[in-house]
Amino acid sequence: MEGANSRLQPPTYGNVITVLSIDGGGIRGIIPGIILNFLESELQKLDGEDARIADYFDVIAGTSTGGLVTAMLTTPNEENRPMFAAKDIKAFYLEHCPSIFPQDSCPFSHATKVIKALSGPKYDGKYLHNIVKEKLRNTRLHETLTDVVIPTFDIKRRQPTIFSSYELENNPSLDALLSDICIATSAAPTYLPAHYFETKDPSGRIREFNLVDGGVAANNPALVAMSEVSKKIHRGSTDFPTMNPIEYDRFLVVSLGTGSAKIEEKYDADEAAKWGVLGWFAGGGSTPLVDIFTQASGDMDDTLSGIVSSVDIATKENLENLVKVGEELLKKPVSRVNLQTGCCEPSNQGTNEEALIRLAKTLSKEKQLRDGRSPRGRAAKSN
């Protein structure tokens, strides 16, 4: 498809608004990486080997590790094409996670980590900072190849800060380096340090940011992205079709979780009512606050248990097991959450692999439709 190398034409020329959302989960970001690689390979079968995920989505959103994946998919290279293909995500995690989350081989490492957690984050974040700055270079928010939404939380202002492409016109101080945004949204409390940086708007005014993981305030980036799009529509943007606020059937949303850990330790109100600060971090022999925090990020089957469910045990064996989890997930039947029980149940729609093949066809047709309807798309195709 000749139009595959151009930015996706606006939704006003299509039938749906396409949204890709990627949850947080540390090293478990490998799992959506596997899913995205399969989807991109199917798009390439339809539209040519140059097709990339960013060519098909109006907005890509991500929190924490999902924010990093979002940046990887949308950062331009010298040819103004995505710097990373979806297949590169797995390789990035396998190569760099052991240095981002170095493992202590000391026999007393567990006790050491508990003591350290009381006085500061488990990891200093230096390697993460360096590798993200190296890979994303000087790319700023306004330069992404499709619109992005990456939530963070400002601990000084005590409110969410959403880095949204849709807000740049009204709030140019948000035009930060993607590397700073990724470091900030990945700064999960107790794991990585909070991140400070500054931006300067066109008038020279400096704004400071004191940020941690966006999951603190916005654990579902899909909803944040849809909210940002809705605000843009209601402001009268000509890039979007005229819609009523309740017309959410016009959204095509692909929300990728990083797996839900099976929490062996169950908590109840009687027990939690007795906890103080230490109880919330160590009550019942586990870490309730972190359990609850990460559980809210798992839009997937409740199949992860043991070491594979961790967000930071970056051993070679565990990372390779996460790759297997992603590959096996493709073969599993499509499931839906039973809202009464909270459990995933088969939905009789084939396997996840088959569902992604159908999705690729839908995305390809939507892109072709827009290219055919828009003057810019027709011009690009004729050239």
Side-chain angles (χ1 to χ4, degrees):
M1 182 174 61
E2 296 178 24
N5 288 331
S6 62
R7 188 182 177 99
L8 182 62
Q9 303 305 310
T12 189
Y13 297 109
N15 290 332
V16 293
I17 299 167
T18 53
V19 179
L20 171 62
S21 172
I22 307 145
D23 288 350
I27 60 173
R28 299 195 322 236
I30 288 179
I31 298 174
I34 299 294
I35 305 302
L36 289 169
N37 181 30
F38 183 85
L39 175 60
E40 190 169 88
S41 68
E42 290 301 313
L43 290 167
Q44 290 168 348
K45 291 177 184 178
L46 296 168
D47 297 332
E49 62 181 16
D50 290 332
R52 295 290 184 267
I53 293 292
D55 299 329
Y56 297 86
F57 288 94
D58 294 305
V59 56
I60 302 179
T63 294
S64 191
T65 199
L68 176 58
V69 173
T70 296
M72 292 174 69
L73 295 172
T74 60
T75 294
N77 60 17
E78 291 80 2
E79 288 76 40
N80 206 39
R81 295 293 294 141
M83 185 176 294
F84 295 88
K87 64 181 176 61
D88 298 325
I89 297 171
K90 180 182 79 172
F92 178 91
Y93 276 75
L94 291 176
E95 179 180 356
H96 298 293
C97 281
S99 297
I100 296 171
F101 302 110
Q103 303 300 297
D104 191 344
S105 58
C106 170
F108 305 106
S109 61
H110 179 71
T112 301
K113 288 178 180 178
V114 172
I115 295 171
K116 187 175 181 181
L118 296 175
S119 59
K122 292 174 67 175
Y123 308 100
D124 61 23
K126 291 180 180 179
Y127 186 89
L128 173 65
H129 294 199
N130 291 336
I131 195 63
V132 169
K133 289 177 180 178
E134 174 190 325
K135 297 297 184 182
L136 302 184
R137 301 182 297 189
N138 293 319
T139 307
R140 290 190 175 273
L141 181 59
H142 79 274
E143 298 175 292
T144 57
L145 293 171
T146 193
D147 292 325
V148 302
V149 174
I150 301 177
T152 65
F153 187 83
D154 195 308
I155 55 176
K156 187 172 183 178
R157 296 186 176 206
R158 289 180 288 184
Q159 64 184 24
T161 296
I162 309 297
F163 288 92
S164 167
S165 301
Y166 303 115
E167 290 296 325
L168 287 177
E169 183 177 351
N170 297 324
N171 194 348
S173 67
L174 292 174
D175 195 24
L177 291 170
L178 275 184
S179 57
D180 279 325
I181 297 172
C182 286
I183 292 167
T185 196
S186 300
T190 77
Y191 287 97
L192 290 162
H195 187 50
Y196 174 87
F197 63 92
E198 298 176 349
T199 61
K200 184 184 292 185
D201 69 16
S203 66
R205 288 177 296 188
I206 293 176
R207 176 175 174 180
E208 64 173 28
F209 296 88
N210 299 268
L211 305 177
V212 296
D213 190 338
V216 169
N219 229 335
N220 190 331
L223 290 179
V224 179
M226 292 174 69
S227 175
E228 290 295 302
V229 170
S230 295
K231 286 191 290 185
K232 191 74 174 179
I233 292 172
H234 298 151
R235 289 171 184 161
S237 171
T238 56
D239 284 344
F240 295 91
T242 302
M243 291 171 53
N244 294 322
I246 59 173
E247 285 188 86
Y248 286 111
D249 58 341
R250 298 290 297 275
F251 285 83
L252 173 59
V253 180
V254 180
S255 180
L256 301 179
T258 57
S260 293
K262 282 187 177 179
I263 301 177
E264 304 298 336
E265 191 74 39
K266 302 298 183 181
Y267 316 113
D268 57 42
D270 287 340
E271 181 183 5
K274 303 170 186 176
W275 292 344
V277 173
L278 292 179
W280 277 100
F281 282 94
S286 183
T287 51
L289 195 61
V290 175
D291 279 346
I292 295 165
F293 175 75
T294 56
Q295 185 76 4
S297 297
D299 290 349
M300 253 184 194
D301 285 341
D302 208 17
T303 56
L304 302 184
S305 60
I307 291 176
V308 78
S309 68
S310 77
V311 298
D312 67 325
I313 300 182
T315 62
K316 180 180 179 181
E317 179 183 10
N318 193 39
L319 292 171
E320 290 176 348
N321 284 338
L322 284 169
V323 172
K324 293 177 183 177
V325 169
E327 292 172 345
E328 291 170 358
L329 182 62
L330 289 170
K331 306 296 183 182
K332 289 186 176 183
V334 175
S335 60
R336 290 180 177 175
V337 175
N338 183 319
L339 298 180
Q340 299 296 321
T341 65
C343 297
C344 290
E345 300 174 350
S347 61
N348 300 316
Q349 294 181 324
T351 65
N352 290 316
E353 202 170 65
E354 291 167 341
L356 287 168
I357 292 171
R358 294 194 296 270
L359 173 63
K361 292 178 181 178
T362 299
L363 291 171
S364 177
K365 289 180 180 178
E366 174 69 13
K367 181 167 174 56
Q368 291 180 32
L369 176 65
R370 296 188 193 186
D371 285 339
R373 286 179 175 175
S374 73
R376 187 157 53 95
R378 290 195 297 270
K381 190 172 183 179
S382 64
N383 292 333

